Amino acid sequence: MTVTVRFAPSPTGNIHIGNARTALFNWLFARKNGGRFVQRFDDTDQARSKQEFADQILYDLHWLGIFPDKVEYQSRRFERYQAAVEKLKAAGLLYPCYETPDELELKRKIRLSRKLPPIYGREALALGAEERAALEAEGRTPHWRFLLPNYQRDPSETRRTDISWTDIVRGEETVDLASLSDPVLIRADGTYLYTLPSVVDDIEMGITHVIRGDDHVTNTGVQIALFKALGADAPAFGHHNLLTAASGEGLSKRSGALSIASLRDDGIEPMAIASLAVLTGTSENIEPVPSMGDLAEKFDPAAASRSAAKFDPADLVHLNRALLQTMPFTAVRDRLVAFGVGGVQAEAFWLAVRGNLDRLSDAARWWEVVSKDYRPDVPFAEADAAFLAEAFGLLPDEPWNGETWKAWTGAVKEKTGRKGKALFRPLRLALTGLESGPELSDLLPLLGREETLARRP
């Protein structure tokens, strides 16, 4: 049996880092097990689902390094869902209900007042054909509920019915079907809710493992019952903890907060996002992982804790910086061209500045600093101006290399008696116009003697 997983967002907005966590858990699980990854768009909500969002999600996944083996759309499979509906109706497991939302809310409050669980009481099962016809004559259109197998003979007399599974993330899990309402599978307007299409697709697409957020744990009990009702074995399930902001606030596609698209526009590297999305809220250390292959080796779904995985977006910048510090020139050469970085000095430049970048785009600033005609505009006190005049007069002859800075500052120290900050700060300001930055021993050969002299205040 080939391990087959799926990532099934609704294309109603851009995916965020929390959605990426689910996609990555599935992708890495498939990769570790030589399996397949199905990208399925749960787009039965045709009013809100947009192809442009589906296209953006696919682009974001590719950018992160996730490449689906197959792409499916639920909106193209309605006939399959209707066939399942007819099968459930024929088995007496799907029944029409006519209550309005207000009536359902009133029933819920009455049950709560009687200290009963606020679940649907199956009153619609007692309706005869004439009563249903009368309700429909009033203009009521039924919604349809799945009859949970939580009774022995009489559906009005429920009993504890445990659905148990070994969760690949959380371990042993149990849901009591008697504690749940019969789920609505079809709305009054004829559209399908999430549960039915999801189960039908999982059966027909051969999904072997469903890995998703732990907000679906209760749903799993219902879905296992529905798999059995449709004559199929349920897949294995895994429910990982959800990713939240440091405040504990949940993430939303509708708000656009921390969307993959916005993080990309902000200059965050794909592997910084992947590393944080996968490792946060697990027993693994949060550190930058250079490739998906390396991340797959570290990935263990059972390492995720049961509590929410809180993270600080600032962690993304730290991971990004750490990734860039070790990134070889070959990995960024073509991307640097977009920032004007090229030519024979490009590789030496990258090796010199990569340790000082939060984002790749920051390289543009340092390329400007080492380019000809850049002239720092820094006012110096009289004593520093005199010191710099003397220091620039001691510049070594070319050729220059990584030892030139040490030789030059050694000569300046001996001649002027300056040391420490009093020695190095004026020189850095004169050469770069900035208080900090890459090692000047690396920048000096990029400047060359002529350009360095040109920056003499």
Side-chain angles (χ1 to χ4, degrees), residues 17 62 67 222 257-258 284-285 384:
I17 190 170
H62 292 164
F67 300 94
V222 170
L258 296 169
E284 296 284 345
N285 292 328
D384 282 341

Side-chain angles (χ1 to χ4, degrees), residues 84 87-88 198-207 222-237:
K87 183 174 183 178
L88 293 171
S198 180
V199 169
V200 172
D201 286 348
D202 287 344
I203 294 170
E204 297 191 2
M205 295 176 189
I207 303 302
V222 170
Q223 290 180 342
I224 290 175
L226 187 54
F227 275 104
K228 291 180 180 178
L230 292 172
D233 292 330
F237 287 91

Side-chain angles (χ1 to χ4, degrees), residues 14-55:
N14 292 331
I15 59 172
H16 50 63
I17 190 170
N19 305 130
R21 180 174 172 83
T22 299
L24 286 160
F25 267 52
N26 280 279
W27 172 250
L28 295 172
F29 186 83
R31 183 162 181 164
K32 288 194 78 163
N33 291 280
R36 300 174 67 251
F37 178 99
V38 176
Q39 173 57 52
R40 189 173 78 210
F41 290 109
D42 288 4
D43 59 344
T44 57
D45 183 347
Q46 295 183 299
R48 294 175 54 233
S49 297
K50 306 292 182 185
Q51 184 62 45
E52 63 196 71
F53 290 130
D55 293 341

